[in-house]
Each structure stands twice: as C-alpha cells, then as structure tokens.
Amino acid sequence: RFKIRYFLQLLNSRVTLQCGDIFDPMEYIASYSTMQGQLILPSTFSTNEPGNHVAVYTLRTQKGVVEKILYIEVK
C-alpha cells in the first residue's frame, strides 16, 4: 500500500493587482490533489479601491485540512 498525500500549492504567496483588475482565485493555484478532497476557494472581492486583502484557500479531506494564504495588494 502507498500513502496518499493531500496537497495544495499556490503559485505565489503575495500578488499585486491594479485597481479594476479581476480577482480569479483559480489563477493563483499551481496544483492540488483532487482525490477525495474538496477545494474551497476564497471569495472574490472588488478591486476598485486600493488596499490589502487576504485570500484563504482550503483543501478539506477525510484525513484533514490544508490551508494556504495568498496576500493581495491592490494598487
């Protein structure tokens, strides 16, 4: 038997968006395991005003939860 690993990888931990850009959470995922897991994406938000945001990506499986955080600056 082999052990199934559950993983969630983002392309970066920090990104900068310009005002008016569209935030698509899937664009920042490098890879994740799909076997018996549920991927929960962060909510989208308006980028019409400058500011900082935190996006939490969650992979929930029977074996536990993996979370990754993406820090977003809107300029």
Side-chain angles (χ1 to χ4, degrees), residues 3-59:
K3 229 178 175 180
I4 296 175
R5 288 185 150 192
Y6 297 98
F7 62 91
L8 170 59
Q9 290 182 297
L10 300 181
L11 294 171
N12 297 300
S13 60
R14 296 181 181 278
V15 295
T16 302
L17 300 176
Q18 299 301 312
C19 277
D21 284 353
I22 294 172
F23 173 65
D24 178 1
M26 287 301 291
E27 285 184 21
Y28 303 99
I29 296 176
S31 62
Y32 66 97
S33 58
T34 58
M35 296 187 69
Q36 301 176 358
Q38 176 188 11
L39 180 63
I40 302 165
L41 297 174
S43 300
T44 58
F45 56 88
S46 172
T47 60
N48 292 331
E49 294 183 24
N52 295 312
H53 301 271
V54 175
V56 180
Y57 292 77
T58 305
L59 180 64

Side-chain angles (χ1 to χ4, degrees), residues 51-69:
N52 295 312
H53 301 271
V54 175
V56 180
Y57 292 77
T58 305
L59 180 64
R60 183 168 284 136
T61 70
Q62 293 175 344
K63 300 286 185 184
V65 175
V66 177
E67 285 189 344
K68 297 292 180 176
I69 296 175

